[in-house]
Amino acid sequence: MALFSRTWTKLVRLSKHVHPAEKKSVRPIVTSARREMDISGIYPPIATPFRADESIDYGKLEENINKWNQIPFRGYVVQGSNGEYAYLTKNERVELVSKVATMVPKDKLIIAGAGCESTRDTIEMTKLMSQAGAKAVLVVTPCFYKGQMTNEAMINHFTKQREKKTFSCSSTVPVILYSVPGNTTIDLAPEVIITLSKHPNIIGLKDSGGDVAKLANLVYKTKGNNFQILAGSASFLLPAYAVGCVGGVLGLANVLGHECCMLENLFKKGKMEEAKILQQRLVGPNVCVTRRFGVPGLKVAMEWFGYYGGPTRSPLQPISKETEEIIRQTFISNGFV
Amino acid sequence: MALFSRTWTKLVRLSKHVHPAEKKSVRPIVTSARREMDISGIYPPIATPFRADESIDYGKLEENINKWNQIPFRGYVVQGSNGEYAYLTKNERVELVSKVATMVPKDKLIIAGAGCESTRDTIEMTKLMSQAGAKAVLVVTPCFYKGQMTNEAMINHFTKQREKKTFSCSSTVPVILYSVPGNTTIDLAPEVIITLSKHPNIIGLKDSGGDVAKLANLVYKTKGNNFQILAGSASFLLPAYAVGCVGGVLGLANVLGHECCMLENLFKKGKMEEAKILQQRLVGPNVCVTRRFGVPGLKVAMEWFGYYGGPTRSPLQPISKETEEIIRQTFISNGFV
Amino acid sequence: MALFSRTWTKLVRLSKHVHPAEKKSVRPIVTSARREMDISGIYPPIATPFRADESIDYGKLEENINKWNQIPFRGYVVQGSNGEYAYLTKNERVELVSKVATMVPKDKLIIAGAGCESTRDTIEMTKLMSQAGAKAVLVVTPCFYKGQMTNEAMINHFTKQREKKTFSCSSTVPVILYSVPGNTTIDLAPEVIITLSKHPNIIGLKDSGGDVAKLANLVYKTKGNNFQILAGSASFLLPAYAVGCVGGVLGLANVLGHECCMLENLFKKGKMEEAKILQQRLVGPNVCVTRRFGVPGLKVAMEWFGYYGGPTRSPLQPISKETEEIIRQTFISNGFV
Amino acid sequence: MALFSRTWTKLVRLSKHVHPAEKKSVRPIVTSARREMDISGIYPPIATPFRADESIDYGKLEENINKWNQIPFRGYVVQGSNGEYAYLTKNERVELVSKVATMVPKDKLIIAGAGCESTRDTIEMTKLMSQAGAKAVLVVTPCFYKGQMTNEAMINHFTKQREKKTFSCSSTVPVILYSVPGNTTIDLAPEVIITLSKHPNIIGLKDSGGDVAKLANLVYKTKGNNFQILAGSASFLLPAYAVGCVGGVLGLANVLGHECCMLENLFKKGKMEEAKILQQRLVGPNVCVTRRFGVPGLKVAMEWFGYYGGPTRSPLQPISKETEEIIRQTFISNGFV
């Protein structure tokens, strides 16, 4: 471990001042068993069900998960952006993961959102999530002090604190980077991702930005690091597969889980023509339940498909009847209702 | 109170569908004694001092405050953006305010940052801050789900929850709105501010956006509501005064408190020529310790003037020697070192 | 045919609220044959060669075109953004097209950029381009008065002037819409494109924005209108094909024309694995010669592959030796030099 | 002149690699008589009147100018953004200036917009404008190739072409820089402006960005260069005066010319309280006729005050009756109708 630490420290240094001579000596030691975790597949970033008083309704959660368990998902992301994690207390965040862990079969992977604004809170949350049953953590980029979130700050956040203990290493579970500029306004830079992809405990990326060219380039540049990239939206799942991504964390999978898994399947079987049509049809509904109308839109659509949606936490507002009708018409005109 | 609640509910409704006929009947009942709180003047949004291990150093905090107490500030803002509040735990946030309350003379106003992402957390934090000794709270706009932070969502957040209990009313201290698009990317809309200015318990606004025209228009449109607007940056303090603002919450006041108060004084005495020169000189240093180099820049500059700056919490990074030199040269060339 | 006319009139009406009286006179001349133009395939938006004194060097242009004629391009785009059209006078723009028309075989399609800021200039330029030998025109969104470039303004610009003569119909060549937000900051809205796709003389779209989900949705929503969409960048050519686009106008094709055509070929033959690798490799070089270093970067790279690059017009600046080396290393590390 | 040229060349070089030792030797030779031109005061950037067929109506122009001549304007800006210059042909641009030159008294300064995308066109246009009667030219930042419009490119554009002949020097009239990010998305950087302020033939800046702190800093940093800064909008005229600007080019002055001049006058006489109120009242109407509804909004408001507004050129669209009513209500509620 001491050896590794030195090697890794050097890597980080190299990421800033790259020298051809030094480059050769960069030999990341990827021995960890964690590296072998296969995260390919489709995941819903599950919505958090609330009662009218905004408390978490675990009964409804279990009902939803029982239905989702019938779909060939690879696993569940608990506390992606769709989970309203920003509105949960620290205790709620951990409790939610431990409850989900009791509700899903052992072969489903539980990935828990563990990102916080400060590095120290992120380290602690990662430990708690691991203890609660998460098999990997998804760590969003911090974003409040936008002007200071430089590449260097990001590399530091994801790998070590000043006292030289990396949270990733102290974590007992592997880390998946999470870039979601629509919420954070921060698009994790390719050079940061490439540097971090060499870390033995950082195994992948969920990218919700929608820049498929970035993803193509990243797959190419991280080859050999066993680094796995997941599309962060059903709007570009097929294009992401086409350039080498291995799966997706898809808000729409809360609603149209079977269809999302079908798209994965069509691509893998090389049925590009059918895949193309299905992808085209998914964009409209997906935009409605993500970027355009957000979690309130998602929860309304969940109701139509037999899931519990329910209210969001404030300040998210319930959508109007007019908006609900727009979403419904989009699902209808694209052939999903 | 019951009467007020209904009137206020109506106001909120009107803010969406305004009818000339109805408009006349909008008669906000501003009876609350809180309305009489005068917040005009200069405030430093104080930096939070950390030890090398990132724990809060209350000893250093007291030393800083003892020095600041010599400056004719109107009071202190505890947990503005400069206070790294996004990196403090809930307990730390409250404890910090209660400590500061013991360190400042009674005639200084303590304004505590109480904003959280969810409305329910904001309500609770407001109560705790009030109990800890804050005389008013500063409530930042929530921002994570940017696409859904509509005007309606903002009005709801700042005034009431769905169950009809407004946090502002349940709060025992008045509320100051806080718009800081540099961090949140959300510029609180004039129509939202105008609507909220009629609420008996929302007494003012701190605006860090730098759009002085917006401020001029807001002062004009909120006349009669005894609504007080504070500039959120020393870069535009004089222009803000010129259009009717009543003071400022100025990161730079952590460092150049006397100079900030002097600018206030020059304006009030009508010494526009001297005020102009001082304002011109303040921009360069202010940009260095705020937008350009952030809290790490601010803390370095504090050291030069006899305050404890110390480290920031990670992921904020210490500034380089080169950057420190840029800041120093800016202070020198503008005549402050 | 009369039926169609009415359909179109209705469409335009639906897209906004015009005057019933005015509308009757909107009678697009549907000469149908244009609709049958097949624009699928790969095009270089050719660079304009200048001498040291910034005058156009037609000799070098002919040498470049002779080389490009050996590549299985579908045709040439004259005066896309890469052609520095914004720096050419009106006369130069037209002359350039007429010269190119003499240099290419008859089976290559010449598409000329005819967009101007005003609708009246665009109408005139379209006519002149048609007379100069263009087989279709590419019309960029106007953009100077950004705040007023509403969907309604766009639909009007692309279909008719107030005096009731639509420039598209007065044009003797079909129109391809051109959305290039990187230069114009205007991303032509899906609803505008869908409306315009029904116009008998608007046959396609070049989209350089990179939002592949938008393209997927547009292909789906314009089905039945024989509307053809071209990717505007080699960075996302394969993803664009995967969702139903029919080709690309690719700055990189000035340099790596064979490779761009090979990617098209691999996709069409269903060789998805090889296509994936090639697409991954193209992103790095493409970013260098487009978004990152612009036309100066493109022209330098052209020299390495036997084309004449030469200087750009000012205010575009020659790239530095350091930048040239970055581009070269990118081509080398991705296996193209 | 030879001496000057060398000195200036050196200045430009220094702006990139600043060395403390070298800095001392920067001694701009400001001998030109042009430097003595005083541009302080209020200017309307005049609207261009069109007939229904979009041709220029010089008769209406003269009527407008006769009315404006009664107002104590310092002069006229012909072909600021409000003049729809982006929609005029080269010949129209020059003719318009020559016509205006015959319509205004000798003591009014005519400043002509001469900016084009290419440096060579800008040089030529400057000469033509000078010959047509302009006393100074306003040169907007080029903007189409946004990614390549670096500080170096800007300095080059404004001072010299590669062949070492600066357009500014070849011009027989002085140059005023024009930064209007609302249309160009390019905010001319302070360091560029400071460098250019030392050029003997660049005498000032019109800044429409609204960042008053930037203006304060620029006034401070260009002291001693006799560099004059004009506010580019009535929304922040008083704040701009307060920090040292010398006047304004104000779209609103097409409509409320007397009131704009009154604000100048109140500030100069130190009547800060009255100035404050007037400034507050001007923001609402100004936003309506500039940023919010653009030239179509401006032209409608002109009609109410006895000027000819008339149609805009397409793609600018006439405003709806609803929008007209919004503008009217804003003028009424702020006390101007």
Side-chain angles (χ1 to χ4, degrees):
Chain A
M1 206 52 167
L3 176 67
F4 161 72
S5 292
R6 261 176 289 129
T7 310
W8 176 244
T9 302
K10 194 170 175 186
L11 265 175
V12 170
R13 211 183 323 118
L14 288 178
S15 74
K16 294 165 218 157
H17 312 283
V18 210
H19 222 249
E22 287 183 308
K23 255 180 170 168
K24 268 181 225 154
S25 66
V26 178
R27 218 173 307 142
I29 303 170
V30 186
T31 54
S32 169
R34 294 159 198 156
R35 264 296 183 203
E36 287 152 27
M37 182 182 285
D38 177 357
I39 60 171
S40 65
I42 303 294
Y43 305 75
I46 63 173
T48 305
F50 296 114
R51 297 191 189 85
D53 68 356
E54 296 196 0
S55 63
I56 301 176
D57 190 332
Y58 286 111
K60 295 298 182 187
L61 178 64
E62 186 153 25
E63 290 174 26
N64 283 348
I65 287 185
N66 285 343
K67 278 182 61 92
W68 286 322
N69 281 339
Q70 313 306 315
I71 301 173
F73 290 138
R74 175 71 185 90
Y76 299 96
V77 167
V78 189
Q79 290 164 47
S81 300
N82 278 315
E84 294 175 70
Y85 80 84
Y87 297 161
L88 303 178
T89 66
K90 183 175 149 184
N91 289 343
E92 287 175 328
R93 290 181 66 174
V94 177
E95 187 184 55
L96 194 64
V97 170
S98 64
K99 297 273 190 182
V100 170
T102 67
M103 299 173 184
V104 306
K106 291 296 163 211
D107 62 323
K108 301 280 188 189
L109 208 57
I110 296 179
I111 301 174
C116 302
E117 273 295 316
S118 79
T119 307
R120 51 164 42 202
D121 287 348
T122 305
I123 291 171
E124 192 192 357
M125 188 62 89
T126 298
K127 282 183 189 157
L128 294 172
M129 289 306 195
S130 167
Q131 291 159 6
K135 292 291 177 287
V137 287
L138 187 68
V139 179
V140 73
T141 55
C143 63
F144 191 71
Y145 298 99
K146 295 176 171 50
Q148 274 64 52
M149 291 300 100
T150 59
N151 287 354
E152 190 189 349
M154 286 295 172
I155 289 175
N156 260 281
H157 178 72
F158 282 109
T159 59
K160 63 183 173 71
Q161 278 194 296
R162 286 171 204 154
E163 57 270 43
K164 311 300 173 210
K165 293 186 305 189
T166 84
F167 88 82
S168 300
C169 287
S170 69
S171 158
T172 59
V173 293
V175 169
I176 301 166
L177 308 173
Y178 181 19
S179 181
V180 58
N183 288 332
T184 64
T185 73
I186 290 186
D187 193 5
L188 202 57
E191 51 269 37
V192 172
I193 296 167
I194 292 167
T195 297
L196 293 172
S197 76
K198 296 166 189 163
H199 192 289
N201 204 20
I202 298 177
I203 63 168
L205 165 73
K206 170 189 175 185
D207 197 306
S208 301
D211 180 351
V212 184
K214 176 191 174 189
L215 302 185
N217 189 44
L218 281 174
V219 173
Y220 185 62
K221 295 295 184 192
T222 62
K223 272 201 174 76
N225 299 339
N226 196 22
F227 190 74
Q228 304 164 74
I229 301 182
L230 301 171
S233 163
S235 279
F236 54 90
L237 181 61
L238 176 63
Y241 270 122
V243 299
C245 293
V246 300
V249 180
L250 314 173
L252 187 66
N254 280 286
V255 183
L256 299 178
H258 275 297
E259 288 77 0
C260 292
C261 291
M262 194 190 306
L263 182 50
E264 174 193 32
N265 200 258
L266 290 171
F267 173 78
K268 289 191 171 173
K269 292 193 171 154
K271 300 187 176 177
M272 290 302 291
E273 192 60 27
E274 286 165 77
K276 179 182 81 178
I277 305 292
L278 181 52
Q279 174 64 78
Q280 291 171 355
R281 289 171 56 212
L282 289 175
V283 176
N286 184 57
V287 168
C288 281
V289 303
T290 58
R291 198 176 54 203
R292 190 162 173 207
F293 301 117
V295 183
L298 177 68
K299 287 187 162 178
V300 159
M302 287 175 69
E303 300 275 353
W304 306 334
F305 292 85
Y307 299 97
Y308 177 80
T312 56
R313 275 195 176 166
S314 180
L316 286 176
Q317 295 293 305
I319 59 172
S320 66
K321 283 294 157 196
E322 291 74 28
T323 298
E324 185 173 339
E325 195 51 31
I326 290 171
I327 304 176
R328 192 191 312 273
Q329 287 307 322
T330 305
F331 273 75
I332 290 173
S333 68
N334 287 30
F336 292 112
V337 176
Chain B
M1 206 54 166
L3 176 66
F4 160 73
S5 293
R6 261 175 290 127
T7 309
W8 176 244
T9 303
K10 192 170 178 187
L11 266 176
V12 171
R13 212 183 325 117
L14 289 179
S15 75
K16 294 164 218 160
H17 312 281
V18 212
H19 222 250
E22 285 183 307
K23 254 181 172 169
K24 267 181 224 155
S25 65
V26 177
R27 218 174 307 144
I29 302 171
V30 186
T31 53
S32 169
R34 294 159 198 155
R35 265 294 183 205
E36 286 153 28
M37 183 181 284
D38 177 357
I39 60 171
S40 64
I42 304 296
Y43 305 74
I46 63 174
T48 304
F50 297 113
R51 298 192 188 83
D53 67 357
E54 297 196 358
S55 62
I56 300 177
D57 190 331
Y58 286 111
K60 295 299 183 188
L61 178 63
E62 185 153 27
E63 288 175 29
N64 283 349
I65 288 186
N66 285 343
K67 278 183 61 88
W68 286 322
N69 281 338
Q70 313 307 314
I71 300 173
F73 290 138
R74 175 70 185 91
Y76 299 95
V77 166
V78 189
Q79 292 165 46
S81 301
N82 279 315
E84 294 176 69
Y85 79 84
Y87 297 162
L88 303 178
T89 65
K90 182 175 151 184
N91 288 344
E92 287 175 327
R93 289 181 67 172
V94 176
E95 187 184 56
L96 194 64
V97 170
S98 64
K99 296 273 190 184
V100 170
T102 68
M103 298 173 185
V104 306
K106 292 294 164 212
D107 62 323
K108 301 280 189 188
L109 209 57
I110 297 178
I111 301 174
C116 302
E117 273 294 318
S118 78
T119 307
R120 50 163 44 203
D121 288 347
T122 304
I123 292 172
E124 191 191 358
M125 188 62 89
T126 298
K127 282 182 189 158
L128 294 172
M129 288 306 195
S130 166
Q131 291 160 7
K135 292 292 178 286
V137 288
L138 188 67
V139 180
V140 72
T141 55
C143 63
F144 190 72
Y145 299 99
K146 293 176 172 49
Q148 274 64 51
M149 291 300 100
T150 58
N151 287 355
E152 189 188 349
M154 286 297 171
I155 289 176
N156 260 279
H157 179 71
F158 282 109
T159 58
K160 61 181 173 75
Q161 280 195 293
R162 285 174 205 149
E163 57 272 44
K164 313 298 172 210
K165 291 185 305 188
T166 85
F167 89 82
S168 300
C169 287
S170 69
S171 158
T172 60
V173 292
V175 169
I176 300 166
L177 308 172
Y178 182 18
S179 180
V180 57
N183 288 331
T184 63
T185 71
I186 291 186
D187 193 4
L188 201 57
E191 51 269 38
V192 172
I193 297 167
I194 293 168
T195 297
L196 293 171
S197 75
K198 296 167 190 163
H199 191 289
N201 203 22
I202 298 178
I203 64 167
L205 164 74
K206 171 189 174 185
D207 196 305
S208 300
D211 181 351
V212 185
K214 176 190 174 189
L215 302 185
N217 189 44
L218 282 173
V219 173
Y220 186 63
K221 294 295 184 191
T222 61
K223 272 200 175 78
N225 300 339
N226 196 20
F227 191 73
Q228 304 165 74
I229 302 181
L230 301 171
S233 163
S235 278
F236 55 89
L237 180 61
L238 177 61
Y241 270 121
V243 300
C245 294
V246 300
V249 180
L250 314 172
L252 186 65
N254 280 285
V255 183
L256 299 178
H258 276 297
E259 288 78 359
C260 292
C261 290
M262 194 189 307
L263 182 50
E264 174 194 33
N265 200 257
L266 289 171
F267 173 78
K268 288 191 170 174
K269 292 193 172 152
K271 299 186 176 178
M272 291 301 293
E273 192 59 29
E274 289 166 74
K276 178 183 80 180
I277 306 293
L278 182 53
Q279 174 65 77
Q280 290 172 355
R281 289 171 57 211
L282 290 174
V283 175
N286 184 58
V287 168
C288 282
V289 303
T290 58
R291 199 175 52 202
R292 190 161 172 208
F293 302 117
V295 184
L298 176 69
K299 286 187 163 179
V300 159
M302 285 175 69
E303 300 276 353
W304 306 335
F305 292 86
Y307 299 98
Y308 177 79
T312 55
R313 276 195 174 164
S314 180
L316 285 177
Q317 296 293 303
I319 59 172
S320 67
K321 282 293 157 198
E322 291 74 28
T323 298
E324 185 173 339
E325 195 50 32
I326 290 171
I327 305 176
R328 192 191 311 275
Q329 287 306 323
T330 304
F331 273 76
I332 290 173
S333 69
N334 287 31
F336 292 112
V337 177
Chain C
M1 220 43 154
L3 177 64
F4 166 75
S5 291
R6 261 176 288 127
T7 307
W8 174 243
T9 304
K10 191 171 177 187
L11 271 171
V12 171
R13 196 174 343 114
L14 289 176
S15 74
K16 64 220 148 112
H17 310 281
V18 255
H19 242 244
E22 288 183 311
K23 257 180 232 144
K24 267 180 224 152
S25 59
V26 178
R27 216 171 308 143
I29 301 161
V30 188
T31 58
S32 69
R34 294 160 196 160
R35 261 297 181 203
E36 284 152 30
M37 182 181 284
D38 177 357
I39 60 171
S40 65
I42 304 295
Y43 305 76
I46 63 172
T48 304
F50 297 112
R51 299 193 188 84
D53 67 355
E54 296 196 358
S55 62
I56 300 177
D57 190 332
Y58 286 112
K60 295 299 183 188
L61 178 65
E62 185 153 25
E63 289 175 29
N64 283 349
I65 287 185
N66 285 342
K67 278 182 61 88
W68 285 323
N69 281 338
Q70 313 306 315
I71 302 173
F73 290 138
R74 175 70 185 89
Y76 298 96
V77 166
V78 188
Q79 291 164 47
S81 300
N82 279 316
E84 294 175 70
Y85 80 84
Y87 296 162
L88 302 179
T89 64
K90 183 175 148 184
N91 288 345
E92 286 175 329
R93 290 181 67 172
V94 176
E95 186 183 56
L96 194 65
V97 170
S98 63
K99 296 274 189 183
V100 170
T102 67
M103 298 173 185
V104 307
K106 292 294 164 213
D107 63 322
K108 301 281 188 187
L109 208 58
I110 297 179
I111 301 174
C116 302
E117 273 295 317
S118 78
T119 307
R120 51 165 41 203
D121 288 347
T122 304
I123 291 171
E124 190 192 356
M125 188 62 91
T126 297
K127 282 183 189 158
L128 294 172
M129 289 306 195
S130 167
Q131 290 159 7
K135 292 290 178 290
V137 288
L138 188 67
V139 179
V140 72
T141 55
C143 64
F144 191 71
Y145 299 98
K146 294 176 171 49
Q148 274 64 52
M149 291 300 99
T150 59
N151 287 354
E152 188 188 350
M154 286 296 173
I155 290 176
N156 261 280
H157 178 72
F158 282 109
T159 56
K160 63 181 175 72
Q161 277 196 295
R162 285 174 205 150
E163 57 269 45
K164 317 301 172 206
K165 293 185 304 189
T166 86
F167 90 83
S168 299
C169 288
S170 68
S171 157
T172 59
V173 293
V175 169
I176 301 167
L177 307 173
Y178 182 17
S179 180
V180 58
N183 288 332
T184 63
T185 73
I186 291 186
D187 193 4
L188 201 56
E191 51 269 37
V192 172
I193 296 167
I194 293 168
T195 297
L196 292 172
S197 76
K198 295 166 190 162
H199 190 289
N201 203 22
I202 298 178
I203 64 167
L205 165 73
K206 171 189 175 187
D207 196 306
S208 300
D211 180 351
V212 184
K214 176 192 174 187
L215 302 185
N217 190 44
L218 282 174
V219 173
Y220 186 62
K221 294 296 184 191
T222 60
K223 273 201 174 77
N225 300 338
N226 196 22
F227 191 74
Q228 304 165 74
I229 302 182
L230 302 171
S233 163
S235 279
F236 55 88
L237 180 62
L238 177 62
Y241 271 122
V243 300
C245 292
V246 300
V249 180
L250 315 172
L252 188 64
N254 280 285
V255 183
L256 299 178
H258 275 298
E259 289 77 0
C260 292
C261 290
M262 193 190 307
L263 182 50
E264 174 193 33
N265 200 257
L266 290 171
F267 173 77
K268 288 192 171 173
K269 292 193 172 154
K271 300 186 175 178
M272 289 302 291
E273 193 58 29
E274 288 166 77
K276 178 182 79 179
I277 306 292
L278 182 52
Q279 174 65 77
Q280 291 172 356
R281 290 171 57 213
L282 289 175
V283 176
N286 183 58
V287 168
C288 281
V289 303
T290 57
R291 198 175 54 203
R292 193 163 172 207
F293 302 118
V295 183
L298 176 69
K299 286 188 163 178
V300 159
M302 285 175 70
E303 300 275 352
W304 306 333
F305 292 86
Y307 299 96
Y308 177 79
T312 55
R313 277 199 174 162
S314 180
L316 285 176
Q317 295 292 304
I319 60 173
S320 66
K321 284 293 157 199
E322 293 73 29
T323 298
E324 184 173 341
E325 195 50 32
I326 291 171
I327 304 176
R328 192 191 312 273
Q329 287 307 322
T330 305
F331 273 76
I332 290 173
S333 70
N334 287 30
F336 292 112
V337 176
Chain D
M1 205 55 170
L3 177 67
F4 160 71
S5 291
R6 262 176 289 129
T7 309
W8 176 243
T9 304
K10 192 169 177 187
L11 266 175
V12 170
R13 211 183 326 119
L14 288 178
S15 76
K16 295 164 216 158
H17 313 283
V18 209
H19 223 248
E22 285 184 306
K23 254 182 173 167
K24 267 181 226 155
S25 64
V26 177
R27 219 173 307 144
I29 301 170
V30 185
T31 53
S32 170
R34 293 159 198 157
R35 263 296 182 206
E36 286 152 26
M37 183 181 283
D38 177 357
I39 60 171
S40 65
I42 303 296
Y43 305 75
I46 62 173
T48 304
F50 296 113
R51 298 192 189 85
D53 67 357
E54 294 195 2
S55 62
I56 301 177
D57 190 332
Y58 286 111
K60 295 298 183 187
L61 178 64
E62 187 153 23
E63 289 174 27
N64 283 348
I65 288 186
N66 285 343
K67 278 181 61 91
W68 285 324
N69 281 338
Q70 314 306 315
I71 301 174
F73 290 138
R74 175 71 185 91
Y76 298 95
V77 166
V78 189
Q79 291 165 47
S81 301
N82 279 315
E84 294 175 71
Y85 79 85
Y87 296 162
L88 303 179
T89 66
K90 183 175 147 184
N91 289 345
E92 287 175 327
R93 289 181 67 174
V94 177
E95 186 183 55
L96 194 64
V97 170
S98 63
K99 296 273 190 183
V100 170
T102 67
M103 300 173 185
V104 306
K106 293 295 163 210
D107 63 321
K108 301 281 189 186
L109 209 57
I110 296 179
I111 301 175
C116 302
E117 274 295 319
S118 80
T119 307
R120 50 164 44 203
D121 288 347
T122 305
I123 291 172
E124 191 192 357
M125 189 61 90
T126 298
K127 282 183 191 159
L128 294 172
M129 287 307 194
S130 167
Q131 289 159 8
K135 292 292 176 287
V137 288
L138 187 68
V139 179
V140 71
T141 55
C143 64
F144 190 72
Y145 298 99
K146 293 175 173 49
Q148 274 63 52
M149 291 301 100
T150 59
N151 287 354
E152 191 188 348
M154 284 297 171
I155 290 175
N156 261 279
H157 178 72
F158 283 108
T159 59
K160 61 182 175 70
Q161 278 195 297
R162 286 172 205 151
E163 58 270 43
K164 310 301 174 210
K165 292 185 305 189
T166 83
F167 88 81
S168 300
C169 286
S170 68
S171 157
T172 58
V173 292
V175 169
I176 301 166
L177 308 172
Y178 182 19
S179 180
V180 57
N183 288 331
T184 64
T185 72
I186 291 187
D187 193 4
L188 200 57
E191 50 269 37
V192 172
I193 296 167
I194 293 167
T195 297
L196 293 172
S197 76
K198 295 167 190 162
H199 191 291
N201 203 21
I202 298 177
I203 63 167
L205 165 74
K206 171 190 174 183
D207 197 305
S208 300
D211 180 350
V212 184
K214 176 190 175 190
L215 302 185
N217 189 44
L218 282 174
V219 173
Y220 185 63
K221 294 297 183 191
T222 61
K223 272 199 174 76
N225 300 339
N226 196 21
F227 190 74
Q228 304 165 75
I229 302 182
L230 301 171
S233 162
S235 279
F236 54 88
L237 180 62
L238 177 63
Y241 270 121
V243 299
C245 293
V246 300
V249 179
L250 314 173
L252 187 64
N254 279 286
V255 184
L256 299 178
H258 275 297
E259 289 78 359
C260 292
C261 291
M262 195 190 305
L263 182 50
E264 174 194 34
N265 199 257
L266 290 170
F267 173 76
K268 288 191 170 173
K269 292 195 172 153
K271 299 186 175 178
M272 291 301 292
E273 193 59 29
E274 287 165 76
K276 180 183 80 180
I277 305 293
L278 181 53
Q279 174 65 78
Q280 291 172 354
R281 289 171 56 211
L282 290 175
V283 175
N286 184 58
V287 168
C288 282
V289 302
T290 58
R291 197 174 56 204
R292 192 164 172 205
F293 302 117
V295 183
L298 177 68
K299 286 188 163 177
V300 159
M302 285 174 70
E303 300 274 354
W304 306 334
F305 291 86
Y307 299 97
Y308 177 80
T312 56
R313 276 198 174 163
S314 181
L316 286 176
Q317 295 293 304
I319 59 172
S320 65
K321 283 293 158 197
E322 291 74 27
T323 298
E324 185 173 339
E325 194 50 31
I326 291 172
I327 304 175
R328 192 193 309 274
Q329 286 307 322
T330 305
F331 273 75
I332 290 173
S333 69
N334 286 30
F336 292 112
V337 176

